[in-house]
Amino acid sequence: MTSTMGGDDPAHDLPDPEKDLREKELRKEGKNLRRLRKPKEARKRFDRAIEISRDKSKTAQHH
Amino acid sequence: MTENTIRVHADSEDAMRYQELLDSDWSREILEGVLALLRKLIAHGAKPDAIPWQKVLIFGPHKKSEREFDSTILSRLRDLARAFEEPALPAMPDQFTAIRPSRIAAQAEQAWAYLIIQSMARLRGSKELFRDTQSLLFLCSAHYLLPQLQNHGLTAEHDCLACAMYVHTLLVWRTQPAHLLHLQSILMDCLGDRQRRLDLLNMSFRLTAPHDHSYLTRATAYWSELMELHKYEEAADFLFLLTKQAPDSCQEEIQEMLSETYVEANGAVSR
């Protein structure tokens, strides 16, 4: 998971199944918080989910 | 190797630390963790004795701010903020608010130095892990550090950090435009410009392919923003479009969002 993949960079992205799970949880939390009228907290969950799910530098070709 | 080159060194332990930080809520501890990881990544490559501005990169978490912030970094940031003008951004301050040394001001200075480091030095080595860690620094700055500066009345430091965050998006994420626009949408939220945030979220989503991992999450963030702004018709139109474009695995969540949109829209009409 974190072995060196070419260049000087160790692979650092989360494995896909873990990403899927975490982003789904965070989307759900975000939607619940929006319903509870806590928009700031909801936005924070969506921002976290996006940061987890986006292809990281160097690993873009793996998805 | 030129004098202005910093070698970044990362090993598998650093990658694992990055993953822990990635899956954490953004708080003071996580900000300190992110700054500590950045310091570790450049620990052997920085030359603070020879290059004075690099002293800002290496001080530890208990350091309080100096009487004056480093002028070399501020001068570069001023030039860049002027070149990349954005109407929603506050102006770069001429003077700073802090009258006493403080940890929060020192953290802000270290954060803006790391966010624009690519304009100060050429990075070599493990640049990819470094810039993804910078992305976490941006997020901690948005969700923790900027509000803290505001709460402490450090308006000039707040504005300086906001300018560095904007410059960072353009300096570092030009090759990943969806991420660049998403980071800018977060900054616009911090600055209270909701319409600009909405537009940037929309653009970020449109640059994301349906097979991309972040597709449904970006769509959900945009839909949620439309709902918050009571733009129910736009939200429903967006979801209809999504039902046609999104992979099968996303359809169940899209249908749930559609139902929620109708319920809230009807509630808004009957009120």
Side-chain angles (χ1 to χ4, degrees):
Chain A
M1 184 166 72
T2 52
S3 62
T4 300
M5 294 172 32
D8 290 326
D9 271 279
H12 55 278
D13 203 358
L14 292 170
D16 284 356
E18 202 175 323
K19 285 168 86 163
D20 286 340
L21 187 70
R22 289 299 292 132
E23 63 187 286
K24 194 170 181 178
E25 285 170 352
L26 287 165
R27 277 200 305 270
K28 193 175 171 186
E29 281 179 36
K31 284 188 267 191
N32 283 337
L33 286 162
R34 196 192 69 76
R35 278 182 220 115
L36 294 169
R37 309 223 178 282
K38 293 182 177 172
K40 206 171 164 183
E41 283 301 308
R43 288 199 287 274
K44 196 172 175 183
R45 297 304 189 285
F46 294 134
D47 289 344
R48 278 183 62 195
I50 290 172
E51 186 65 9
I52 286 172
S53 67
R54 75 175 178 88
D55 288 333
K56 304 302 179 296
S57 308
K58 195 85 166 185
T59 56
Q61 66 273 31
H62 291 273
H63 300 295
Chain B
M1 199 175 279
T2 64
E3 195 187 52
N4 250 346
T5 298
I6 298 178
R7 178 123 204 129
V8 182
H9 178 76
D11 55 28
S12 56
E13 202 178 293
D14 299 320
M16 286 171 72
R17 180 63 181 140
Y18 165 80
Q19 290 180 349
E20 285 169 11
L21 293 166
L22 173 65
D23 196 12
S24 305
D25 198 3
W26 299 310
S27 60
R28 181 171 63 82
E29 290 76 19
I30 300 306
L31 171 66
E32 286 175 3
V34 168
L35 287 171
L37 180 55
L38 289 166
R39 287 195 296 271
K40 183 170 183 286
L41 294 175
I42 56 108
H44 299 295
K47 304 174 201 77
D49 292 335
I51 307 173
W53 70 262
Q54 292 188 6
K55 289 191 174 90
V56 177
L57 302 176
I58 59 159
F59 60 68
H62 304 298
K63 170 91 164 66
K64 291 186 175 176
S65 53
E66 298 287 340
R67 188 169 293 275
E68 302 279 342
F69 294 123
D70 183 274
S71 60
T72 309
I73 299 170
L74 285 178
S75 167
R76 180 62 53 89
L77 182 51
R78 268 198 192 94
D79 289 346
L80 291 167
R82 203 175 296 126
F84 298 136
E85 199 183 332
E86 154 64 50
L89 271 186
M92 265 296 285
D94 293 323
Q95 290 184 322
F96 286 86
T97 350
I99 46 170
R100 286 197 298 269
S102 70
R103 274 183 64 189
I104 188 106
Q107 275 183 328
E109 184 183 27
Q110 195 164 65
W112 69 58
Y114 272 110
L115 287 169
I116 66 156
I117 193 172
Q118 281 90 340
S119 72
M120 303 291 295
R122 186 181 292 270
L123 300 184
R124 290 273 183 256
S126 309
K127 293 186 292 187
E128 312 298 342
L129 176 58
F130 187 86
R131 71 181 194 153
D132 283 332
T133 310
Q134 282 179 297
S135 184
L136 294 182
L137 175 60
F138 182 102
L139 293 161
C140 289
S141 298
H143 288 279
Y144 172 75
L145 195 47
L146 280 181
Q148 285 295 313
L149 291 168
Q150 198 81 285
N151 292 344
H152 283 78
L154 298 174
T155 308
E157 288 78 356
H158 169 279
D159 293 353
C160 187
L161 181 59
C163 288
M165 290 165 73
Y166 184 74
V167 166
H168 167 80
T169 65
L170 299 166
L171 270 179
V172 178
W173 298 105
R174 289 188 307 274
T175 56
Q176 292 188 37
H179 188 48
L180 182 158
L181 294 166
H182 180 243
L183 292 180
Q184 289 189 351
S185 80
I186 293 171
L187 180 58
M188 291 306 135
D189 188 33
C190 298
L191 299 174
D193 194 333
R194 299 294 299 280
Q195 185 56 46
R196 187 88 179 104
R197 171 178 166 84
L198 184 71
D199 294 343
L200 288 160
L201 279 175
N202 187 15
M203 286 190 274
S204 176
F205 170 73
R206 285 174 191 282
L207 288 171
T208 307
H211 65 265
D212 190 288
H213 228 104
S214 61
Y215 184 77
L216 183 57
T217 305
R218 288 190 200 279
T220 307
Y222 178 58
W223 165 80
S224 177
E225 196 68 19
L226 286 169
M227 295 291 281
E228 265 186 58
L229 296 168
H230 307 297
K231 297 183 183 239
Y232 301 116
E233 213 174 305
E234 269 183 68
D237 288 347
F238 171 69
L239 292 172
F240 275 127
L241 187 71
L242 209 58
T243 55
K244 292 178 191 155
Q245 293 175 345
D248 290 348
S249 58
C250 302
Q251 295 299 333
E252 193 183 331
E253 278 191 56
I254 297 169
Q255 289 305 320
E256 285 170 9
M257 287 190 276
L258 253 178
S259 305
E260 203 169 326
T261 305
Y262 288 131
V263 169
E264 280 192 37
N266 289 336
V269 168
S270 62
R271 272 198 294 271

